Amino acid sequence: MKLYTSSRAPNPRRVLMFMAEKGIAGVGLVPVDLGKEEHRAPAFTDLNPMAQVPVLELDDGRTLAETRAICTYLEGLYPDPNLMGEGFEERAFIEMMDRRCELQLFLRIANAVRHTHPGLAVLEQPQFADFGTAQAEKVRDTVRWLDGVLANRDYVAGERFTIADITAFCALEFARGLMKFRPAEEGFANVQAWRDRLAQRPSAQVL
Amino acid sequence: MKLYTSSRAPNPRRVLMFMAEKGIAGVGLVPVDLGKEEHRAPAFTDLNPMAQVPVLELDDGRTLAETRAICTYLEGLYPDPNLMGEGFEERAFIEMMDRRCELQLFLRIANAVRHTHPGLAVLEQPQFADFGTAQAEKVRDTVRWLDGVLANRDYVAGERFTIADITAFCALEFARGLMKFRPAEEGFANVQAWRDRLAQRPSAQVL
């Protein structure tokens, strides 16, 4: 299999971290340069009409896009360790937390960065800086919620590491790099402690 | 089980349509009045801190939020007819299409409506009308893509009805009501024909 990816982009990082946690080796990485708009060239949009990385190319040539859908496929091929839930009940509750992290945290951070960062004007056309600034404020609301969640448990979806930790971690690392967002400085000690623990995992080093 | 829902809101409609397709009966509906901000009252945010409908209350009292996570749970309890894929490979490809419909269609329509409709100012604080208008333009890009998909197949994710059809249908019905968006008038005949076929299903009548 081949993974089309972009170095340091947050969505590819989610898949790379997911693969590292499972010890999946042998997937070739094909770099896509977003700054040069390679993701909008026909050679790439033939693989994913949404013009987004990552994309997984299967051995039979079919291509699978959308970060979480790629993880669903890899979870099926490489079930251990389980990261998305055993059985439908646990899968549903982990999906709930993963979606909250994706829709209320990751997406707000992405909106804040893409609509306000001059270097990302090529990716977000047109930018709306006032919308981006308001989204950055809402990021704080979500991190406040997450801080409360992590007051009572060690991981986002419960007592073990799951895909929801990956989604939240990659979102907050993106915010750390491009919004200079530090949970401890904002008063979110539980999120900071969780983030610092996750940053020790070998999978967190893969970019 | 009980489902906290709001009449005519698009996300609750996705779950109601999903249940109707499976013939799930006996789930009590608990109305939540978004106009009166009941979703922001502690009685509701105790069930879902994200202050969003729908929420499924299980028989043991636990609450499950997030539309697609609720569907994952119901698919496990009521496997027939299958709407989310048999086995991990089909599940992944259906999830890819469902996510495209949710993130590129549903969310853009929701952003367009919530940021521009005066009647939704209470739900979206603050509104950014210029961002909303730009999102409405991008809805056309996604419908153009969907029109191409439906040129070659009868349903969004392949040759059978799945959750991806529900997501796209509920998004476009929301756009029909609040943005007066008619696919045929925009030149998207395949989407219009698919929409008109889906509108004949009994599950499409549930609001």
Side-chain angles (χ1 to χ4, degrees):
Chain A
M1 297 190 291
K2 282 191 272 187
L3 187 73
Y4 292 79
T5 181
S6 298
S7 179
R8 299 183 177 277
N11 276 313
R13 187 177 185 179
R14 289 162 67 186
V15 173
L16 293 173
M17 193 167 172
F18 190 90
M19 294 198 306
E21 287 284 338
K22 287 181 175 284
I24 301 173
V27 175
L29 302 185
V30 183
V32 180
D33 190 327
L34 305 181
K36 290 182 179 163
E37 299 196 63
E38 287 181 359
H39 60 299
R40 295 197 174 113
F44 185 79
T45 57
D46 283 351
L47 304 176
N48 182 10
M50 295 300 154
Q52 293 172 325
V53 285
V55 172
L56 184 68
E57 185 173 314
L58 310 188
D59 288 334
D60 63 14
R62 284 179 301 160
T63 51
L64 181 64
E66 293 294 333
T67 296
R68 199 181 191 280
I70 292 171
C71 291
T72 292
Y73 183 79
L74 294 174
E75 175 97 336
L77 268 189
Y78 302 92
D80 299 312
N82 178 285
L83 295 175
M84 299 177 77
E86 305 266 13
F88 71 85
E89 183 174 308
E90 195 191 23
R91 276 202 291 119
F93 277 91
I94 291 172
E95 186 171 11
M96 172 178 73
M97 293 304 282
D98 192 39
R99 283 174 61 90
R100 285 172 170 171
C101 292
E102 180 160 40
L103 299 172
Q104 310 293 338
L105 186 66
F106 194 103
L107 206 59
R108 285 173 169 181
I109 290 169
N111 278 333
V113 169
R114 292 173 68 112
H115 283 278
T116 61
H117 200 290
L120 296 181
V122 67
L123 293 182
E124 190 63 41
Q125 299 166 352
Q127 289 181 313
F128 293 101
D130 52 356
F131 168 71
T133 304
Q135 289 279 295
E137 283 303 311
K138 293 191 178 191
V139 167
R140 274 182 192 78
D141 295 339
T142 310
V143 179
R144 185 172 298 112
W145 159 77
L146 187 59
D147 203 64
V149 168
L150 292 168
N152 301 312
R153 49 170 81 156
D154 286 342
Y155 297 97
V156 172
E159 291 309 321
R160 68 183 181 92
F161 181 92
T162 69
I163 191 172
D165 294 285
I166 294 176
T167 303
F169 180 79
C170 292
L172 286 170
E173 288 297 280
F174 189 50
R176 194 169 71 93
L178 290 180
M179 294 167 65
K180 308 296 175 203
F181 184 87
R182 301 285 186 281
E185 293 173 11
E186 306 281 340
F188 304 123
N190 299 319
V191 170
Q192 186 72 55
W194 160 88
R195 179 264 162 207
D196 292 344
R197 274 190 287 120
L198 257 65
Q200 301 297 317
R201 299 174 83 95
S203 66
Q205 314 311 319
V206 182
L207 277 172
Chain B
M1 296 189 291
K2 284 192 269 187
L3 187 74
Y4 292 79
T5 181
S6 298
S7 179
R8 297 184 179 278
N11 276 314
R13 187 177 186 179
R14 290 162 68 187
V15 173
L16 294 173
M17 192 167 173
F18 190 89
M19 294 198 307
E21 287 283 340
K22 286 182 176 284
I24 301 173
V27 175
L29 301 185
V30 183
V32 179
D33 191 326
L34 304 182
K36 291 183 180 160
E37 299 196 64
E38 286 180 359
H39 60 300
R40 295 197 175 114
F44 186 78
T45 57
D46 284 351
L47 305 176
N48 182 9
M50 296 300 153
Q52 294 172 324
V53 285
V55 172
L56 185 68
E57 186 174 314
L58 310 189
D59 288 333
D60 62 15
R62 284 179 302 160
T63 50
L64 181 64
E66 293 294 333
T67 296
R68 199 180 191 279
I70 292 171
C71 292
T72 292
Y73 183 80
L74 293 173
E75 175 97 337
L77 268 188
Y78 302 93
D80 298 315
N82 178 285
L83 296 175
M84 299 177 77
E86 305 265 13
F88 71 86
E89 183 172 310
E90 195 191 24
R91 277 201 291 120
F93 277 91
I94 291 173
E95 186 172 10
M96 171 178 73
M97 294 304 281
D98 191 39
R99 283 175 60 90
R100 285 172 169 169
C101 292
E102 179 161 39
L103 299 172
Q104 310 292 339
L105 186 66
F106 194 101
L107 207 58
R108 285 173 168 181
I109 289 169
N111 278 333
V113 170
R114 292 174 67 111
H115 282 278
T116 61
H117 200 289
L120 296 181
V122 69
L123 294 183
E124 189 65 39
Q125 299 166 349
Q127 290 180 315
F128 293 101
D130 52 356
F131 168 71
T133 303
Q135 288 280 293
E137 282 304 309
K138 292 191 178 190
V139 168
R140 276 184 188 78
D141 295 339
T142 310
V143 180
R144 183 173 299 111
W145 159 76
L146 187 59
D147 203 64
V149 168
L150 292 168
N152 302 311
R153 49 170 80 156
D154 286 343
Y155 296 97
V156 171
E159 290 309 321
R160 69 182 180 91
F161 180 93
T162 70
I163 191 172
D165 294 285
I166 294 176
T167 302
F169 180 79
C170 292
L172 287 169
E173 289 297 280
F174 188 50
R176 195 169 71 94
L178 290 180
M179 294 166 64
K180 309 296 174 203
F181 185 88
R182 301 285 186 281
E185 294 174 10
E186 305 281 340
F188 304 123
N190 299 320
V191 170
Q192 186 72 55
W194 161 87
R195 180 265 162 206
D196 292 344
R197 274 189 288 118
L198 257 64
Q200 302 297 316
R201 299 174 83 94
S203 65
Q205 315 310 319
V206 182
L207 275 173

